[in-house]
Amino acid sequence: MDVRKQLYLQCLNREFAQVLAKVRGMSTESLDYNFLQMYLGRSCQWAHVPSIDYLWMRFVMKEPLLLVRPQVLCDMATIALNNDKGFLPSQLLKHYTMNYLNKRHISFDDPVLYHLNRVKVESFAKGTKDRTTFMEKWKVFLQDIDDKFPTSYKFRIRDYMNLSQASRTATQERLGSMLFDQDQITIKNPTSMSLLLNIILLHKGISTDYKLAIFEQFLRSSNGAALIDDSIQILLRLVDGNSSQLRNLLETLKSVDVKISATTCNEIDSCKAKLQ
């Protein structure tokens, strides 16, 4: 069988280790561009990290041959984050910026650009570990996400779990100060503060009573209550089994005017039924 046909077939059969061994020994001239695109795409689809690393380093970084498709860049970014490839998200973002964006006017209303920036922020939060403080990681989020992207973007806690986990080194007092005083930092997107609230609510070193108090204070503050559903759902799970804390939460929600989704309303009704 022709070598190229064999490579295509092995790719389709997910025999990535065998394909990689052959590609390593082949010259650039003997490799088909469409095959390399397919090989990279399939490697991302099945998260074959050795193939992704090799193709990126050889055919993008060393020999700028491949123009990687935006969706593949997003897949690579996610795989890099999950496999502790801290150097890669910045390179992926640079590749996208250089090849796909208008140099004179970059529009940040761009889902791909957001995904690559988000992963870069998450990778920094995860990779620097305790070498940087949570405040430093939060400032990177504000600079790369809050300050750049339109306020129509909603920042959900599920998308920033590494940033959330990094808060374990911050004290209760420091987090409270960041939430309400904002350390004289301008916040553009209201959901950024909701994200910080949810990071506090997920902090394992903070008591549930304090979380209920800070949640109520947040609702009544000038920060507003943008995207509060995540906060309510986190708290409902925290107070499950404690009727006193549940009543406290329900009274708080009853006393303020906030927009809540139908799903969250159903969860609240289910919790109310437990008190009857």
Side-chain angles (χ1 to χ4, degrees), residues 174-215:
R174 186 71 178 111
L175 291 170
S177 174
M178 289 170 62
L179 184 64
F180 295 112
D181 301 334
Q182 299 177 14
D183 290 332
Q184 299 180 338
I185 298 174
T186 301
I187 308 295
K188 290 186 176 180
N189 191 316
T191 65
S192 291
M193 300 317 296
S194 296
L195 173 63
L196 181 56
L197 170 66
N198 292 332
I199 287 173
I200 295 172
L201 297 182
L202 288 175
H203 195 295
K204 293 183 179 179
I206 297 176
S207 71
T208 301
D209 285 334
Y210 179 83
K211 291 175 181 178
L212 288 168
I214 207 169
F215 173 70

Side-chain angles (χ1 to χ4, degrees), residues 3-247:
V3 174
R4 293 184 181 182
K5 289 183 179 179
Q6 189 176 30
L7 287 172
Y8 271 102
L9 183 60
Q10 287 181 312
C11 255
L12 292 173
N13 290 332
R14 307 201 302 272
E15 298 171 2
F16 299 116
Q18 294 92 318
V19 174
L20 179 57
K22 290 178 181 176
V23 169
R24 285 182 186 276
M26 298 175 69
S27 66
T28 301
E29 293 74 19
S30 63
L31 288 163
D32 179 68
Y33 182 85
N34 290 329
F35 162 73
L36 291 175
Q37 287 282 17
M38 190 268 282
Y39 179 23
L40 180 58
R42 293 281 291 178
S43 297
C44 288
Q45 183 180 353
W46 296 98
H48 191 257
V49 177
S51 291
I52 295 169
D53 285 348
Y54 181 79
L55 291 170
W56 177 259
M57 291 306 298
R58 178 177 171 182
F59 298 109
V60 178
M61 299 302 293
K62 292 182 179 179
E63 304 175 44
L65 173 66
L66 280 179
L67 177 61
V68 183
R69 294 187 294 270
Q71 184 54 56
V72 175
L73 288 171
C74 290
D75 293 340
M76 289 178 67
T78 301
I79 293 168
L81 178 62
N82 293 335
N83 288 274
D84 299 320
K85 303 284 184 179
F87 63 91
L88 194 52
S90 294
Q91 295 177 357
L92 297 170
L93 178 59
K94 183 178 180 180
H95 183 82
Y96 181 73
T97 302
M98 290 179 61
N99 292 289
Y100 291 101
L101 299 186
N102 185 325
K103 304 299 189 299
R104 294 182 179 179
H105 178 68
I106 296 178
S107 171
F108 283 91
D109 190 6
D110 179 337
V112 173
L113 189 60
Y114 173 68
H115 180 85
L116 295 176
N117 272 278
R118 181 187 68 79
V119 171
K120 179 172 170 282
V121 168
E122 277 283 88
S123 182
F124 176 78
K126 182 180 182 181
T128 56
K129 299 180 180 178
D130 294 340
R131 295 192 301 275
T132 57
T133 66
F134 175 69
M135 184 62 192
E136 290 173 297
K137 299 176 200 289
W138 179 247
K139 284 183 177 179
V140 170
F141 164 81
L142 294 178
Q143 292 165 4
D144 289 358
I145 303 294
D146 177 86
D147 187 56
K148 290 181 178 179
F149 291 90
T151 55
S152 58
Y153 279 64
K154 310 301 181 187
F155 307 140
R156 307 294 297 269
I157 186 66
R158 66 190 180 202
D159 294 325
Y160 292 94
M161 293 309 298
N162 289 290
L163 183 61
S164 177
Q165 290 169 13
S167 71
R168 68 187 184 280
T169 60
T171 65
Q172 174 177 298
E173 293 73 19
R174 186 71 178 111
L175 291 170
S177 174
M178 289 170 62
L179 184 64
F180 295 112
D181 301 334
Q182 299 177 14
D183 290 332
Q184 299 180 338
I185 298 174
T186 301
I187 308 295
K188 290 186 176 180
N189 191 316
T191 65
S192 291
M193 300 317 296
S194 296
L195 173 63
L196 181 56
L197 170 66
N198 292 332
I199 287 173
I200 295 172
L201 297 182
L202 288 175
H203 195 295
K204 293 183 179 179
I206 297 176
S207 71
T208 301
D209 285 334
Y210 179 83
K211 291 175 181 178
L212 288 168
I214 207 169
F215 173 70
E216 180 177 4
Q217 185 180 352
F218 183 83
L219 290 185
R220 300 185 190 284
S221 73
S222 58
N223 289 319
L227 202 66
I228 209 67
D229 283 81
D230 287 350
S231 307
I232 296 172
Q233 291 174 17
I234 291 169
L235 286 170
L236 286 174
R237 284 158 180 75
L238 285 174
V239 303
D240 187 33
N242 188 314
S243 58
S244 176
Q245 290 177 336
L246 176 56
R247 285 193 178 91

